C-alpha cells in the first residue's frame, strides 16, 4: 500500500471526527434541555451517518490505490470503480439531508408567517432534485459493470457522465445560495444589539464557505482529480454539518439566555422596590404572563435552543399586546410606576424606571 496521498487521508478523518463531535454535542444539549429531538435532528444524524460511510468508502478506495489509479492493477481498478456509485450516493444524500434540516429549522422559527409557503416549496424542490440525482447516479450507465469494462463498445457514454456532473454541481450550488438567502430577512428583523446580530449572521455565513467548497470540488472533479475531489467533498460536508449545529450550540458557547433577558455570564438579579404599589389589574397581567412562562404555553416545548435567535422578536410582540390591553382599560385605570433595582454580581447597582 502506497503512502501517496496520506496527508489527505488524515484530513478525511479530522473532518469526520470534528463534524461528528459537533453533531453529538448538539444532540446532547437538546436532550438535556428538552428530553426530545426534532425532525431536523434526524436529518442531521442521517447526514453524519453518510459522512462516516463516505469515509469508509474512500478509505477502501485509497487502500486499492486511488491515489495512483494509473498504476493500479485490473482488480484494484475494478474495486475502485465499484465504489464510485455508493460513494456518490452517500455524498449527495449527506448534503441534501443537511439542506433539508436547515429549511425545517427555518420553518420552525418562522412559524405563523407567510414564509411557510416559501419553505414548503424549497423542501419540495430539494426532495425532487435529490431524487433526480440519485436515480441518475444509478442509471446513467446501466448495467453498472459498463463503468469498468475495457470494451470500447460497452463503455459508458461521456455525455451521460457530463449530464450527471452538471446536474449535481448546479443543483448543489444553486440550492446552497437559496438556503443562505432564506434567513436574511429574519436576521435583519431580530431585536438585538448589532454585535449579537452580526454573530448570528456569521453562523449563517459559514454557508458561503460550503458554496466555495462546492465550486472547488467541481473544478477538481472536471479534471478527474479523484483524491482531491474526495478531500474537498469531506471538507464541504463536515463544514455544512458544523454550521448547521452552531445555532443549537449557541447557548453552550455563549451562555444560556434566560426568559428575562439574562445570560449565564454576569448574573443579574431583578428585585422590586419596597415602595411599589401594585394595582389588581397589573397583578392579573403579571399572573397571566407568569402562566405563559411557567410551561403552560403549548408551543414552548417545540422551540429549542436554536430558537433563542428570534425570541426577542416574539417577546417584543407579546409585550406590545399586553401594553395595548392595559391601555384599553379606559380612564378608570391607575398608572403605576415601579422602581426595579438590578444588582450585578460584581457589586455595581443601577436603578431602572419602567
Amino acid at each position: 500500500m502506497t503512502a501517496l496521498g496520506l496527508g489527505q487521508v488524515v484530513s478525511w478523518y479530522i473532518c469526520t471526527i470534528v463534524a461528528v463531535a459537533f453533531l453529538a454535542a448538539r444532540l446532547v444539549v437538546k436532550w438535556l434541555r428538552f428530553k426530545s429531538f426534532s425532525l431536523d435532528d434526524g436529518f442531521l444524524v442521517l447526514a453524519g451517518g453518510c459522512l462516516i460511510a463516505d469515509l469508509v468508502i474512500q478509505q477502501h478506495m485509497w487502500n486499492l490505490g486511488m491515489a495512483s489509479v494509473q498504476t493500479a492493477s485490473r482488480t484494484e481498478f475494478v474495486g475502485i470503480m465499484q465504489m464510485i456509485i455508493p460513494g456518490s450516493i452517500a455524498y449527495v444524500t449527506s448534503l441534501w439531508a443537511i439542506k433539508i434540516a436547515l429549511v425545517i429549522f427555518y420553518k420552525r422559527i418562522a412559524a405563523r408567517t407567510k414564509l411557510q409557503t416559501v419553505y414548503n416549496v424549497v423542501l419540495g424542490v430539494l426532495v425532487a432534485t435529490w431524487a433526480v440525482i440519485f436515480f441518475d447516479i444509478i442509471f446513467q450507465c446501466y448495467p453498472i459493470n459498463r463503468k469498468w469494462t475495457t470494451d470500447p463498445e460497452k463503455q459508458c457514454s461521456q455525455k451521460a457522465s457530463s449530464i450527471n456532473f452538471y446536474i449535481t454541481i448546479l443543483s448543489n450550488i444553486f440550492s446552497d445560495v437559496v438556503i443562505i438567502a432564506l434567513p436574511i430577512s429574519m436576521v435583519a428583523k431580530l431585536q438585538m444589539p448589532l454585535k449579537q446580530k452580526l454573530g448570528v449572521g456569521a453562523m449563517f455565513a459559514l454557508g458561503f464557505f460550503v458554496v466555495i467548497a462546492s465550486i472547488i470540488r467541481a473544478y477538481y472533479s472536471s479534471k478527474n482529480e479523484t483524491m482531491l475531489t474526495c478531500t474537498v467533498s469531506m471538507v464541504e460536508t463536515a463544514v455544512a454539518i458544523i454550521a448547521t449545529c452552531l445555532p443549537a450550540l449557541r447557548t453552550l458557547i455563549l451562555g444560556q439566555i434566560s426568559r428575562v433577558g439574562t445570560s449565564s455570564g454576569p448574573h443579574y438579579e431583578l428585585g422590586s422596590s419596597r415602595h411599589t404599589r401594585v394595582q389588581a389589574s397589573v397583578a392579573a397581567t403579571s399572573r397571566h404572563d407568569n402562566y405563559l412562562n411557567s410551561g403552560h404555553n403549548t408551543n414552548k416545548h417545540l422551540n429549542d435552543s436554536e430558537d433563542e435567535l428570534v425570541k426577542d422578536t416574539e417577546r417584543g410582540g407579546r409585550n406590545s399586546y399586553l401594553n395595548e390591553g392595559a391601555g384599553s382599560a379606559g380612564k378608570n385605570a391607575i398608572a403605576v410606576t415601579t422602581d426595579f433595582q438590578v444588582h450585578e454580581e460584581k457589586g455595581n447597582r443601577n436603578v431602572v424606571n419602567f
Side-chain angles (χ1 to χ4, degrees):
M1 181 178 65
T2 178
L4 184 62
L6 180 60
Q8 295 185 57
V9 174
V10 172
S11 70
W12 301 347
Y13 282 89
I14 293 175
C15 290
T16 303
I17 292 172
V18 173
V20 171
F22 269 84
L23 178 58
R26 170 194 172 101
L27 297 177
V28 169
V29 167
K30 295 191 72 173
W31 179 257
L32 291 178
R33 294 194 64 189
F34 303 101
K35 304 300 181 184
S36 65
F37 300 111
S38 51
L39 183 60
D40 49 337
D41 296 317
F43 278 100
L44 284 179
V45 171
L46 173 62
C50 289
L51 178 64
I52 295 174
D54 209 9
L55 173 64
V56 173
I57 291 171
Q58 292 181 181
Q59 176 66 66
H60 178 63
M61 294 171 69
W62 184 74
N63 292 341
L64 293 174
M66 181 176 62
S68 55
V69 180
Q70 298 80 2
T71 60
S73 66
R74 175 62 184 171
T75 303
E76 291 172 340
F77 176 77
V78 171
I80 293 172
M81 297 305 295
Q82 287 175 340
M83 293 292 102
I84 294 293
I85 290 180
S88 299
I89 292 176
Y91 165 75
V92 172
T93 302
S94 62
L95 285 184
W96 259 251
I98 296 169
K99 299 175 197 287
I100 292 174
L102 273 174
V103 177
I104 292 174
F105 166 52
Y106 296 160
K107 274 176 59 65
R108 188 167 66 250
I109 65 177
R112 297 180 298 276
T113 67
K114 297 179 179 179
L115 293 174
Q116 291 294 304
T117 302
V118 176
Y119 295 146
N120 290 334
V121 171
V122 173
L123 283 174
V125 172
L126 286 175
V127 172
T129 52
W130 176 85
V132 169
I133 297 172
F134 174 80
F135 287 108
D136 187 64
I137 290 174
I138 296 176
F139 297 107
Q140 64 168 304
C141 185
Y142 192 83
I144 298 175
N145 58 8
R146 292 175 59 193
K147 283 183 173 292
W148 53 81
T149 183
T150 56
D151 188 349
E153 295 183 358
K154 295 182 179 180
Q155 289 180 348
C156 298
S157 170
Q158 186 62 35
K159 182 179 179 180
S161 179
S162 299
I163 291 175
N164 175 265
F165 171 80
Y166 284 109
I167 289 177
T168 304
I169 295 302
L170 295 179
S171 299
N172 189 21
I173 295 176
F174 179 74
S175 59
D176 282 343
V177 173
V178 170
I179 290 173
I180 291 172
L182 285 176
I184 290 179
S185 60
M186 289 189 294
V187 174
K189 294 178 182 178
L190 291 181
Q191 298 179 3
M192 60 172 58
L194 178 61
K195 183 177 180 180
Q196 295 183 20
K197 188 177 292 188
L198 292 176
V200 173
M203 292 183 183
F204 294 112
L206 282 176
F208 287 107
F209 181 86
V210 178
V211 174
I212 295 174
S214 299
I215 296 173
I216 295 175
R217 180 187 181 277
Y219 171 78
Y220 285 124
S221 179
S222 65
K223 299 295 184 181
N224 291 323
E225 295 283 352
T226 309
M227 279 292 295
L228 288 173
T229 301
C230 291
T231 300
V232 177
S233 299
M234 296 294 291
V235 174
E236 177 186 5
T237 307
V239 172
I241 292 176
I242 293 170
T244 309
C245 291
L246 282 179
L249 299 178
R250 178 176 179 267
T251 55
L252 183 65
I253 299 173
L254 301 179
Q256 182 175 349
I257 297 178
S258 70
R259 294 297 176 183
V260 296
T262 60
S263 67
S264 61
H267 181 69
Y268 296 89
E269 294 182 358
L270 188 62
S272 175
S273 172
R274 293 182 179 180
H275 304 289
T276 301
R277 295 172 298 168
V278 181
Q279 185 192 12
S281 62
V282 176
T285 301
S286 177
R287 286 195 301 271
H288 174 69
D289 191 56
N290 290 336
Y291 177 81
L292 292 176
N293 290 330
S294 64
H296 293 80
N297 187 353
T298 58
N299 291 329
K300 179 179 179 182
H301 188 70
L302 299 178
N303 297 325
D304 53 25
S305 56
E306 300 162 328
D307 304 344
E308 293 291 348
L309 301 176
V310 293
K311 281 301 178 186
D312 290 337
T313 305
E314 181 181 346
R315 282 195 294 270
R318 190 179 67 188
N319 291 338
S320 175
Y321 171 80
L322 294 177
N323 290 336
E324 290 176 4
S328 62
K331 297 181 181 180
N332 295 328
I334 300 175
V336 178
T337 301
T338 305
D339 294 338
F340 291 90
Q341 294 181 348
V342 182
H343 304 278
E344 187 177 0
E345 284 183 344
K346 297 179 180 178
N348 297 328
R349 174 174 295 183
N350 299 311
V351 178
V352 183
N353 294 324
F354 292 92

